[in-house]
Amino acid sequence: MVLGSIATSQASHLARIYLENTCKATDPNLILVVRHTRVPSKDSEEHVLAAVQRESNNESPITRQSFVNEPSILQLLEERVKQDPPFKQQLFDYIEYSKKDKKWRTAAANAITILVRIGTQFNSADLRGIQIPGADLSYGVFDSAQLQGADLRKVNLRGVWLQQANLSKAQMAGVQYGELPFLEYDEAVEMVIYSPDGKSIAVALSVRRIIMYSTATWQQLWTLEGHTEKIESIVFSPSGNQLATASWDHTLRLWDLSTGECSHILVGHCDWVRCVSYSPRGDQIASCSDDRTLKLWDTTTGECLDTLTGHAGYIITVTHSPKGNQIASGSGDRSVRLWDTKTLECSHILIGHNDWVRRIRYSPQGDSITTFGDDNSIRLWDLATGDCVHVLRIPGWLRWINYSRLRDQIAFVNNDTAVQLLDFETGVLLHTLLGHNDNVTSIEYSPRGDLVATSSNDKTVRLWDVETGKCLRILTGHSKEVTSLEFSPNGDQITSISNDMTVRLWDTGTRTPLHASNTHNNKVWRVRSSPKGDLVASCSSDTTVRIWDVETGECRFTLKGHANIVYSIAYSPQGDHIATGSWDNTVRLWNVKTGALIRTLVGHTDEINLIAYSPQGYQLASTSCDNTVRLWNVPSGDCRLILEGHTALVNGVVFSPDGNQIASCSWDKTVRIWDVHTGVCTQVLTEHDGLVRRVVYSPQGDCVASASDDHTVRVWDAATGKCRYTLTGHTEVVYSTRYSPDGRLIASVSLDKTARLWDAETGKCRHLLNGHDDEVNRAAFSPHGDLLASASSDKSVRVWDVESGKCRAVIQDLPDYVWDIDWVSTSDANLVVNGCQDGSVWVWELIDNGEDQFRVRLRWSSTNNALVLRNANIQGVKGLSELDKQLLNQFGAATEPVHPQYEAPSNTRVGQSES
């Protein structure tokens, strides 16, 4: 048997042997992964049934044994699909067979798992009645899919896009969503702490109260109130029946968790209480304070047993040794003190840190401690002698650090987005964890030390394999910065806290790495449709440009070569070339058909901002932070002219419709109009009071419109330079402006969360487009000019009727800020493309059913990481638990159709596209 030329690792080699042996054990002649029995491509139900009856492979491994949890075997099968299109069709056939006969359930579950893993999207697919129990659909895309009556028991729906899917009467008992219902508050969340057994959590809120929940049901157990200032520390007793809290109100409180009552108020400190620690037996607690004392308390009576003094600065942290015979305290006086719990004497003063000591960790045996200081050093101390036996210094300013004793490993992040894993003993760099696109706010090791979780201002949590450094999960759903996270005691769950005032509870899931993806891994700045409408290009902070097939979503080419953020892209008028401008100070020209680099345009001495082709395509203009505009000859790559005059960075440029002029705008608050042939500046437009962000010509070429930070759009006479109108109404920065294709309207978008439509002839506001919940970043007119699409940081796109000003469609639940938007020029459909901060690209079809609202259907997306269930029809679904129902309700699923459900033709089979 030959499995094909697949690059094999040891794991895949073993998987291959396993597959062969499994096949031979059943029937030496049946090895399904290499033999493809094709079913006649008939659409009728009779032909499908006949094909099922003729099928002889129902005893082969893929039909009788689940490979869903066998990553090595799945990887082999994925490679086979890529090499052999008939095998891919065979997988679709298995899903189709399962609609009629349950004997194909295992094959169908294997098949759809493989197809999802290779990026197949099932948008609007007819999956009615499929039987795929136990399948892994993680991060799959099933927009508007028809899943009525499907057997989805124990299916993994982690991060699946199911917007507008019809799940009515489906069997969904035991479905895994990858998360539980989230907790939402109207005040900030300060911290979350698990009980020792993981069965409950304590959530501390900024209003000085704590709410206790069961992690099994998310039911509220108790509300603990009494502190009058911020709660600084929360600790469960070892048995979990008591909770101790320390506060800035100078007190501690002990709470009985069987009743939710405060059993004792511990008064004695005369300044903020920073930290509290239970003894291993739970009979005592130690507290430390800014009053420079430690206090020991009896947890049964609340009596203060003793006060320990000696530190010369605020005491920041305190902890008991594993045996309870010692207490360690760390202070702003740069020292660590060790206290004997029997004699209450200070046995050692550990000197070595050059700044505050923030954290202390005992070894499991209690014979050493690790201390963390603001001096960016980590020190290991021998407790028998008090000697420092090892020091690891971290270069640079330290944002966050954590230590895994089990791995003897350090995880830290400086003032950037990369997390580094170091061997503590040697200081050798083990892995650099790259993926977050904003500052990392927290790092935690799992209890077993095999995972690292990181949270970030990019609103995500990432889960990493410590051994390989690979990203296993991207947990998305928070709408603002994630500030901290916590593993459950057994490591199976993570809680995350965000500035969106929610707490989310996630399953850590399997240790299988994320599927390989062709998508960007950082912010998408621009998306542009090709002149013919067959391609879409996107550029990103990940230094690449990607060219996508509009129909299939396939990434045709990934254009690599830039050494920094690619900030702008432009198609040539003929559509055969694409130009890219980067913060590496260069412009590159590429062949769209081959993806080959044609040439690199070098000359700018600072970052490139925007680029534009001339109407004929023979010239290219580029703007830069070096305060200049350059005009390039496209065929030769020569720089024809350097246009100098702006006194600050130039961030916008556009050719006039006849190609004889260009207009540029700058942070110097001016717009300049230049003669393309001579390079002479013919007009300087100076009436803006803030930096100018964008400039556009009217389609007739007689006017120029500019958008500014002074909250206005100004319309200028291109010939005389006189300001015809000042369009006022926005209350914040105006990011961008555009003319409609016929030149009758001007659109503007602003930080004030609105878009506006203006009459280009009179300068009056025709419509205030109000509906976004955050700043509006871009807007684009449809090719016919009857619609305007707006993109916002509220993770949505809105489509407006320009005549009435009514919103005709809302595309929401996108994974991140939407930075750019464009329309795809096609003769038979309204298609909108958008790019998001998380690196994803989405293409949507707007279907006009003659109603006020368009029906929106996802054509494809480059990736998906978030669970989306908005408007999914769950009417009559079987097997849902109360928690399931709560989660589905939170995510916007509906018990009856919100819009008329899309119905594919009855003879449409799985894997067959319908027109």
Side-chain angles (χ1 to χ4, degrees):
M1 185 203 60
V2 180
L3 284 171
S5 56
I6 304 173
T8 60
S9 61
Q10 183 179 8
S12 62
H13 177 66
L14 292 174
R16 184 179 299 186
I17 293 173
Y18 172 76
L19 271 177
E20 292 186 22
N21 290 340
T22 306
C23 295
K24 291 173 182 176
T26 305
D27 186 337
N29 298 317
L30 294 178
I31 301 179
L32 184 61
V33 291
V34 292
R35 193 178 70 77
H36 311 109
T37 302
R38 296 302 310 279
V39 177
S41 57
K42 303 288 186 179
D43 291 332
S44 67
E45 198 169 270
E46 292 77 13
H47 280 86
V48 173
L49 288 172
V52 171
Q53 292 168 357
R54 291 195 303 271
E55 178 59 41
S56 61
N57 284 321
N58 59 329
E59 291 299 321
S60 57
I62 204 168
T63 66
R64 62 182 178 78
Q65 182 166 350
S66 174
F67 298 134
V68 170
N69 296 314
E70 300 287 346
S72 296
I73 295 175
L74 288 176
Q75 186 176 359
L76 277 175
L77 295 172
E78 290 168 35
E79 292 297 330
R80 185 65 191 183
V81 171
K82 295 173 185 177
Q83 294 177 5
D84 194 343
F87 181 48
K88 183 176 183 179
Q89 183 58 50
Q90 187 79 63
L91 298 180
F92 283 119
D93 291 342
Y94 288 140
I95 300 170
E96 188 71 25
Y97 301 159
S98 76
K99 295 179 179 181
K100 300 299 180 183
D101 193 334
K102 66 180 182 181
K103 75 179 181 182
W104 298 102
R105 288 187 303 191
T106 300
N110 285 328
I112 200 165
T113 297
I114 295 165
L115 291 168
V116 167
R117 285 174 62 94
I118 64 171
T120 304
Q121 298 189 5
F122 291 84
N123 300 320
S124 302
D126 180 7
L127 303 174
R128 288 172 288 191
I130 65 168
Q131 301 185 64
I132 54 168
D136 186 355
L137 307 185
S138 297
Y139 310 111
V141 182
F142 293 79
D143 187 89
S144 304
Q146 298 174 71
L147 287 154
Q148 301 95 309
D151 185 351
L152 305 178
R153 290 172 297 167
K154 297 185 179 181
V155 166
N156 189 343
L157 296 183
R158 177 193 302 272
V160 172
W161 182 283
L162 281 163
Q163 182 168 271
Q164 299 183 121
N166 192 336
L167 296 159
S168 59
K169 298 182 180 179
Q171 299 179 60
M172 295 183 67
V175 165
Q176 305 167 56
Y177 301 96
E179 56 187 294
L180 290 179
F182 56 84
L183 304 175
E184 191 169 18
Y185 305 94
D186 55 7
E187 65 239 56
V189 183
E190 299 287 348
M191 68 182 87
V192 173
I193 304 294
Y194 276 94
S195 62
D197 59 7
K199 293 182 179 179
S200 61
I201 62 169
V203 179
L205 303 175
S206 62
V207 291
R208 303 175 296 279
R209 63 188 173 112
I210 298 168
I211 304 179
M212 302 285 302
Y213 296 90
S214 164
T215 55
T217 64
W218 251 173
Q219 294 298 307
Q220 184 173 324
L221 302 175
W222 310 111
T223 298
L224 313 180
E225 296 181 288
H227 283 295
T228 58
E229 295 288 344
K230 178 182 176 181
I231 299 170
E232 182 76 6
S233 179
I234 303 174
V235 183
F236 280 91
S237 65
S239 64
N241 59 7
Q242 191 181 67
L243 190 76
T245 56
S247 169
W248 287 8
D249 65 9
H250 306 181
T251 72
L252 297 100
R253 287 178 178 252
L254 298 179
W255 309 85
D256 185 327
L257 297 184
S258 64
T259 64
E261 298 294 326
C262 177
S263 57
H264 299 288
I265 302 174
L266 311 184
V267 179
H269 286 294
C270 57
D271 209 333
W272 292 357
V273 187
R274 292 278 188 173
C275 187
V276 61
S277 170
Y278 271 94
S279 64
R281 293 199 304 266
D283 58 334
Q284 292 183 12
I285 60 171
S287 61
C288 65
S289 168
D290 283 5
D291 65 9
R292 306 182 184 187
T293 69
L294 294 170
K295 289 184 180 291
L296 304 182
W297 311 82
D298 186 290
T299 58
T300 302
T301 66
E303 177 188 356
C304 182
L305 302 175
D306 217 317
T307 301
L308 311 180
T309 60
H311 279 295
Y314 298 159
I315 307 178
I316 308 302
T317 184
V318 63
T319 186
H320 282 82
S321 65
K323 297 178 181 178
N325 61 329
Q326 192 178 75
I327 295 172
S329 57
S331 170
D333 66 9
R334 307 177 184 180
S335 74
V336 176
R337 287 180 176 250
L338 306 179
W339 311 84
D340 188 292
T341 54
K342 289 185 178 180
T343 66
L344 303 182
E345 296 292 328
C346 179
S347 58
H348 292 290
I349 303 175
L350 312 182
I351 304 294
H353 285 290
N354 296 320
D355 210 331
W356 289 22
V357 181
R358 293 284 180 181
R359 282 183 290 167
I360 301 171
R361 294 279 182 88
Y362 272 94
S363 65
Q365 298 76 24
D367 57 346
S368 65
I369 60 170
T370 308
T371 59
F372 302 78
D374 282 353
D375 58 0
N376 286 10
S377 76
I378 306 161
R379 291 175 176 264
L380 180 66
W381 308 83
D382 184 293
L383 297 186
T385 64
D387 294 335
C388 180
V389 296
H390 184 60
V391 181
L392 179 63
R393 291 183 172 86
I394 307 297
W397 184 75
L398 205 59
R399 177 174 290 275
W400 191 269
I401 190 166
N402 215 327
Y403 173 58
S404 170
R405 189 76 193 187
L406 292 175
R407 291 270 174 173
D408 202 27
Q409 185 182 100
I410 300 294
F412 73 94
V413 63
N414 295 116
N415 193 24
D416 58 16
T417 61
V419 176
Q420 299 183 62
L421 305 185
L422 294 183
D423 183 280
F424 178 55
E425 183 67 29
T426 65
V428 171
L429 177 65
L430 302 173
H431 298 291
T432 299
L433 312 182
L434 298 173
H436 286 296
N437 54 44
D438 207 336
N439 288 332
V440 173
T441 56
S442 182
I443 306 170
E444 295 293 336
Y445 279 93
S446 64
R448 293 186 290 270
D450 57 336
L451 301 174
V452 165
T454 56
S455 62
S456 168
N457 285 340
D458 66 8
K459 304 182 288 297
T460 70
V461 173
R462 285 180 178 251
L463 198 62
W464 312 83
D465 186 294
V466 167
E467 194 68 36
T468 65
K470 291 183 178 179
C471 183
L472 302 176
R473 298 280 180 274
I474 304 174
L475 308 179
T476 62
H478 284 296
S479 59
K480 290 188 178 180
E481 302 85 353
V482 185
T483 56
S484 66
L485 48 85
E486 181 89 6
F487 274 98
S488 62
N490 64 8
D492 291 342
Q493 293 177 334
I494 299 173
T495 57
S496 57
I497 301 171
S498 167
N499 286 339
D500 63 11
M501 298 188 287
T502 67
V503 176
R504 287 183 177 257
L505 185 64
W506 317 85
D507 294 329
T508 55
T510 64
R511 303 300 186 263
T512 305
L514 286 173
H515 313 324
S517 172
N518 281 326
T519 196
H520 294 291
N521 59 32
N522 212 324
K523 179 177 181 177
V524 172
W525 288 99
R526 301 281 182 270
V527 288
R528 290 292 179 268
S529 168
S530 64
K532 296 178 182 178
D534 57 335
L535 301 173
V536 165
S538 57
C539 64
S540 167
S541 290
D542 67 5
T543 75
T544 71
V545 175
R546 293 174 189 266
I547 298 178
W548 311 87
D549 185 292
V550 165
E551 187 63 33
T552 66
E554 176 191 358
C555 181
R556 293 266 191 94
F557 302 107
T558 300
L559 309 182
K560 299 180 180 180
H562 282 297
N564 206 331
I565 289 169
V566 185
Y567 188 70
S568 58
I569 48 177
Y571 275 99
S572 64
Q574 298 77 22
D576 55 343
H577 294 166
I578 191 168
T580 59
S582 169
W583 288 4
D584 65 6
N585 307 352
T586 70
V587 176
R588 288 177 177 246
L589 305 181
W590 312 81
N591 185 302
V592 170
K593 291 183 179 180
T594 65
L597 176 66
I598 299 171
R599 59 179 53 88
T600 302
L601 310 182
V602 179
H604 282 294
T605 59
D606 209 333
E607 297 167 355
I608 308 296
N609 290 317
L610 285 190
I611 53 179
Y613 273 97
S614 65
Q616 298 77 24
Y618 298 121
Q619 295 191 76
L620 184 77
S622 58
T623 67
S624 170
C625 293
D626 65 10
N627 303 355
T628 70
V629 180
R630 286 180 177 249
L631 287 179
W632 308 86
N633 181 285
V634 171
S636 67
D638 295 333
C639 180
R640 284 190 55 247
L641 295 168
I642 302 175
L643 310 183
E644 297 177 300
H646 285 295
T647 58
L649 68 85
V650 189
N651 60 325
V653 67
V654 62
F655 277 88
S656 62
D658 60 11
N660 292 322
Q661 292 180 331
I662 64 169
S664 60
C665 63
S666 167
W667 282 21
D668 66 8
K669 305 180 183 179
T670 71
V671 174
R672 287 177 175 256
I673 297 177
W674 313 80
D675 185 289
V676 167
H677 305 289
T678 64
V680 172
C681 178
T682 59
Q683 304 288 344
V684 182
L685 315 180
T686 61
E687 294 184 28
H688 277 298
D689 294 325
L691 65 88
V692 187
R693 291 186 176 264
R694 287 293 177 271
V695 61
V696 290
Y697 268 96
S698 64
Q700 296 77 22
D702 58 334
C703 291
V704 169
S706 54
S708 170
D709 278 16
D710 65 10
H711 309 176
T712 71
V713 174
R714 290 179 183 265
V715 180
W716 314 82
D717 187 293
T720 65
K722 290 183 178 180
C723 181
R724 289 189 178 183
Y725 305 110
T726 300
L727 311 183
T728 59
H730 285 296
T731 58
E732 287 287 352
V733 170
V734 183
Y735 283 135
S736 184
T737 187
R738 287 198 179 187
Y739 274 93
S740 60
D742 60 10
R744 295 189 305 110
L745 298 172
I746 297 172
S748 59
V749 298
S750 170
L751 179 62
D752 67 9
K753 306 179 185 179
T754 71
R756 286 176 179 257
L757 285 171
W758 313 83
D759 189 298
E761 187 63 32
T762 66
K764 293 185 177 180
C765 182
R766 290 270 298 272
H767 298 293
L768 170 63
L769 309 181
N770 207 344
H772 285 294
D773 296 325
D774 207 336
E775 60 194 80
V776 186
N777 299 310
R778 295 287 183 272
F781 282 98
S782 62
H784 299 297
D786 56 333
L787 301 171
L788 182 78
S790 56
S792 170
S793 294
D794 67 4
K795 302 183 183 180
S796 79
V797 171
R798 286 179 174 260
V799 179
W800 312 85
D801 184 283
V802 300
E803 289 301 320
S804 67
K806 291 182 179 179
C807 181
R808 296 200 60 191
V810 182
I811 301 169
Q812 49 194 339
D813 294 318
L814 287 161
D816 214 327
Y817 299 159
V818 187
W819 286 111
D820 200 19
I821 194 164
D822 199 10
W823 291 80
V824 180
S825 299
T826 62
S827 58
D828 59 346
N830 278 323
L831 299 182
V832 174
V833 56
N834 71 267
C836 293
Q837 178 158 304
D838 72 331
S840 60
V841 177
W842 304 72
V843 172
W844 307 88
E845 182 177 359
L846 305 177
I847 301 170
D848 192 347
N849 293 324
E851 302 175 355
D852 287 342
Q853 293 289 302
F854 285 115
R855 185 180 177 278
V856 180
R857 188 170 68 179
L858 177 64
R859 274 285 184 96
W860 56 264
S861 68
S862 62
T863 188
N864 177 58
N865 291 314
L867 178 65
V868 176
L869 292 157
R870 187 179 297 277
N871 295 338
N873 180 6
I874 57 171
Q875 186 176 20
V877 166
K878 302 173 185 177
L880 295 178
S881 68
E882 290 304 314
L883 271 182
D884 292 340
K885 293 175 183 177
Q886 185 180 344
L887 181 140
L888 292 170
N889 179 63
Q890 284 184 340
F891 279 76
T895 54
E896 57 185 38
V898 176
H899 303 294
Q901 294 284 317
Y902 168 78
E903 294 286 340
S906 60
N907 60 355
T908 300
R909 301 181 61 215
V910 179
Q912 174 190 358
S913 62
E914 34 72 35
S915 58

